[in-house]
């Protein structure tokens, strides 16, 4: 990464680093399409009123206006602002295009978003997200909650990020448990539980007692629930052992059981029931997901989301959905920082076509055209310097093969890594498969 960024929070990758980012995006795209998700792209701007419907995030939203604009009203709901995530634009997109979509509608979307927060490790002001959602018209089968967990497990397993855990909870389970305890403000309990990893059990217990009105026994029970983590369905027995009963708890347990049961068979070791997961956004109503890299938990969640009973509504029509969002830039920054993978070379070119003299440029272009016509990326020398200098230039560029055209019209190609030089025909020569495309290692 370009180390001396003139604006913090706005990452700019060097060419070899961009190859890594492109590899991540291509892998996600391929996986999402294998699971039947269609790609869409929405505009970069929304009205401020539309964006602020998601909650109190006005301090994070970048407004958009002309430099010459006069008397701008910052509170005008129709003024434009850059989107800070892809869910709000997707909700608008669904409502506006509902008549042209087949429901349940499966979409993936990979775009930049902008968020005005303090830059730090893994947090940027401009970054790329990759979202997948399934949205229904009126109703949406719970099986999609299960399917999205498996899709994300497939996608992340295909990336060079090491081990990860997709941690899953259910809001109905948590709310039913708290109500069964006699706590009538489950949202306040969830907000407290959401602080566990930052402030610890005793500090959360104090909040529950002093601010939420829980007894010590109720606080201890809420903390006991949050401590349950399993890679199989044994969480059900552990919750039941706490002795709390409520109809909503039963529903949440059954839904989470379905997710973990399927994942333990189809993605063993990757998906975990974690009853401490709360998710900060109020609109999640059932399944909630968060994902961490094992050994890099301090980075925070790299992929999160959940079920919402109302992504959007129009008149009497309601559009429930379930979705997850991957922080691509956060992932790439960690891949690069940990040197988990690197680009095979810094440029896409496989071949550097040399010039024997200044009059051979057009002949060299004919060679390049023939190679490109067969999908072999190449570039032509700009001047007829000594061959040694042309080879050194190709080496600095990271181009593995150098092409020579002899006076008698024959051709030779040299692998400058090994020194091997062979006779070649531009209409048939092909590099080894591992060199044909710029890959990551």
């Amino acid at each position: 990464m370009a180390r001396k960024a003139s604006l913090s929070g706005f990452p700019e990758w060097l060419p070899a680093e961009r190859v890594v980012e492109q590899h991540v995006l291509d892998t996600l795209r391929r996986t999402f399409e294998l699971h039947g998700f269609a790609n869409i792209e929405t505009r970069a701007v929304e009205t401020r009123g539309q964006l602020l419907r998601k909650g109190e995030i006005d301090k994070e939203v970048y407004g958009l206006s002309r430099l010459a604009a006069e008397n701008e009203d910052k509170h005008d709901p129709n003024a434009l602002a850059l989107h800070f995530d892809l869910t709000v634009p997707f909700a608008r997109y669904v409502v506006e295009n509902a008549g042209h979509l087949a429901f349940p509608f499966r979409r993936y979307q990979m775009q930049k978003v902008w968020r005005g927060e303090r830059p730090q490790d893994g947090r940027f002001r401009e970054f790329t997200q990759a979202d997948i959602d399934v949205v229904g018209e009126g109703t949406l089968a719970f099986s999609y909650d299960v399917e999205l967990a498996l899709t994300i497990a497939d996608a992340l397993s295909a990336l060079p990020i090491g081990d990860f855990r997709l941690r899953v909870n259910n809001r109905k389970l948590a709310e039913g448990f708290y109500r069964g305890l006699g706590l009538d403000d489950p949202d306040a309990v969830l907000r407290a539980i959401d602080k566990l990893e930052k402030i610890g059990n005793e500090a959360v217990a104090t909040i529950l007692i002093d601010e939420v009105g829980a007894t010590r026994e109720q606080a201890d029970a809420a903390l006991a629930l949050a401590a349950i983590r399993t890679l199989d369905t044994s969480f059900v027995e552990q919750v039941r052992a706490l002795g709390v009963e409520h109809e909503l708890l039963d529903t949440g347990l059954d839904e989470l059981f379905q997710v973990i049961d399927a994942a333990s068979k189809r993605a063993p070791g990757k998906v975990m029931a974690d009853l401490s997961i709360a998710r900060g956004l109020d609109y999640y109503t059932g399944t909630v997901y968060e994902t961490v890299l094992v050994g890099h938990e301090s980075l925070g969640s790299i992929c999160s989301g959940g079920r919402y009973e109302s992504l959007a509504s129009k008149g009497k029509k309601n559009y429930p959905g379930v979705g997850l969002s991957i922080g691509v830039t956060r992932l790439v920054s960690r891949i690069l920082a940990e040197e988990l993978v690197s680009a095979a070379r810094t440029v896409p070119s496989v071949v550097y076509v040399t010039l024997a003299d200044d009059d051979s440029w057009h002949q060299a272009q004919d060679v390049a055209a023939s190679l490109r016509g067969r999908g072999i990326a190449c570039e032509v020398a700009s001047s007829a310097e000594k061959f040694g200098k042309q080879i050194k230039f190709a080496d600095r560029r990271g181009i593995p093969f150098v092409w020579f055209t002899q006076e008698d019209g024959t051709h030779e190609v040299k692998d400058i890594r090994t020194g091997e030089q062979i006779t070649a025909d531009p209409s048939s020569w092909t590099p080894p498969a591992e060199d044909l495309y710029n890959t990551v290692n």
Side-chain angles (χ1 to χ4, degrees):
M1 181 177 176
R3 300 297 174 232
K4 293 184 179 179
S6 56
L7 285 175
S8 63
F10 295 86
E12 293 180 331
W13 307 127
L14 295 171
E17 295 169 333
R18 173 62 174 161
V19 171
V20 173
E21 181 184 46
Q22 204 62 51
H23 172 75
V24 170
L25 292 171
D26 289 344
T27 301
L28 293 176
R29 181 182 299 110
R30 185 165 56 249
T31 305
F32 294 159
E33 291 184 356
L34 283 172
H35 284 262
F37 290 83
N39 182 231
I40 68 166
E41 183 171 310
T42 57
R43 64 199 185 206
V45 298
E46 300 289 337
T47 63
R48 293 179 183 178
Q50 182 77 16
L51 290 175
L52 297 181
R53 289 174 58 192
K54 193 168 182 178
E56 296 297 324
I57 46 80
D58 54 302
K59 293 181 180 179
E60 297 182 7
V61 175
Y62 282 111
L64 192 68
S65 63
R66 294 180 300 111
L67 292 178
E70 297 180 0
N71 302 320
E72 180 188 5
D73 182 2
K74 293 184 179 181
H75 301 289
D76 179 3
N78 294 313
L80 299 180
L82 294 170
H83 60 221
F84 61 88
D85 77 351
L86 300 179
T87 303
V88 172
F90 178 52
R92 173 193 54 77
Y93 179 94
V94 167
V95 170
E96 292 182 356
N97 295 284
H100 304 282
L101 302 175
F103 292 98
F105 176 52
R106 308 159 70 96
R107 85 80 160 89
Y108 78 92
Q109 190 172 348
M110 298 190 290
Q111 287 180 240
K112 286 187 179 295
V113 299
W114 296 266
R115 193 169 297 176
E117 59 183 358
R118 183 172 65 86
Q120 52 186 300
D121 183 25
R123 291 190 177 275
F124 304 91
R125 291 171 174 167
E126 178 183 69
F127 54 98
T128 299
Q129 284 188 195
D131 284 21
I132 59 170
D133 286 81
V134 181
V135 60
E137 187 176 36
T139 61
L140 183 69
F142 181 79
S143 60
Y144 289 111
D145 294 48
V146 182
E147 186 175 345
L148 256 69
L150 299 176
T151 301
I152 288 295
D154 274 359
L156 296 180
S157 295
L159 295 176
I161 58 174
D163 201 9
F164 66 89
R165 291 290 179 274
L166 176 57
R167 305 190 296 178
V168 190
N169 196 5
N170 191 289
R171 280 288 182 87
K172 297 173 186 175
L173 188 163
E175 181 178 342
F177 186 87
Y178 303 147
R179 291 192 181 280
L181 282 175
L183 297 170
D184 296 326
D185 190 353
D187 288 345
V189 181
L190 279 171
R191 284 193 293 269
I193 294 296
D194 200 28
K195 299 176 182 178
L196 265 174
E197 292 186 358
K198 292 182 179 180
I199 64 176
N201 279 25
E202 279 308 308
V204 169
T206 299
I207 293 173
L208 290 173
I209 294 168
D210 295 347
E211 300 180 19
V212 181
T215 65
R216 183 70 212 196
E217 290 73 19
Q218 289 171 325
D220 287 344
L223 290 170
L225 179 74
I228 295 173
R229 294 174 177 82
T230 70
L231 288 168
D232 55 27
T233 58
S234 62
F235 71 91
V236 176
E237 289 75 19
Q238 293 184 40
V239 173
R240 292 299 187 196
L242 296 176
V244 177
E245 295 185 2
H246 193 277
E247 183 179 356
L248 194 58
L249 169 62
D250 295 340
T251 301
L253 276 172
D254 177 64
E255 290 184 352
L256 186 57
F257 175 90
Q258 292 180 56
V259 175
I260 302 302
D261 183 52
S264 63
K265 298 171 183 174
R266 301 182 181 278
K270 298 300 183 183
V271 183
M272 169 187 286
D274 185 336
L275 276 55
S276 70
I277 301 301
R279 294 294 299 135
L281 300 174
D282 293 337
Y283 57 74
Y284 291 124
T285 55
T287 307
V288 286
Y289 315 89
E290 282 194 355
T291 312
V292 295
L293 297 180
V294 175
H296 302 281
E297 287 82 1
S298 62
L299 185 65
S301 179
I302 59 164
C303 173
S304 58
R307 158 75 71 141
Y308 33 82
E309 288 309 319
S310 182
L311 170 74
S313 59
K314 184 178 182 181
K316 294 183 179 180
K317 286 189 176 181
N318 185 55
Y319 300 94
V322 59
L324 284 124
S325 176
I326 298 174
V328 173
T329 305
R330 177 177 289 192
L331 266 181
V332 171
S333 68
R334 186 47 56 108
I335 290 171
L336 296 175
E338 299 293 328
E339 299 181 346
L340 299 176
V341 296
S342 60
R345 54 183 184 267
T346 60
V347 296
S349 301
V350 185
V351 179
Y352 187 74
V353 184
T354 63
L355 298 182
D357 53 54
D358 290 336
D359 295 329
S360 63
W361 187 83
H362 287 288
Q363 187 179 15
Q365 289 291 345
D366 289 340
V367 171
S370 180
L371 293 172
R372 291 170 186 148
R374 294 186 296 107
I376 302 170
C378 58
E379 52 190 89
V380 175
S382 60
S383 61
E385 297 182 290
K386 292 181 179 180
F387 282 136
K389 287 189 175 181
Q390 294 186 65
I391 292 171
K392 285 183 178 179
F393 180 79
D395 189 34
R396 286 199 306 273
R397 293 274 288 158
I399 303 172
F401 294 95
V402 175
W403 194 280
F404 304 96
T405 300
Q406 311 299 333
E407 290 184 1
D408 61 1
T410 60
H411 304 272
E412 292 185 352
V413 64
K414 181 175 184 176
D415 185 336
I416 61 175
R417 299 164 299 185
T418 64
E420 181 184 13
Q421 186 165 326
I422 62 172
T423 301
D425 185 336
S427 66
S428 59
W429 177 84
T430 299
E434 62 269 21
D435 291 321
L436 186 56
Y437 301 107
N438 192 5
T439 57
V440 299
N441 301 315

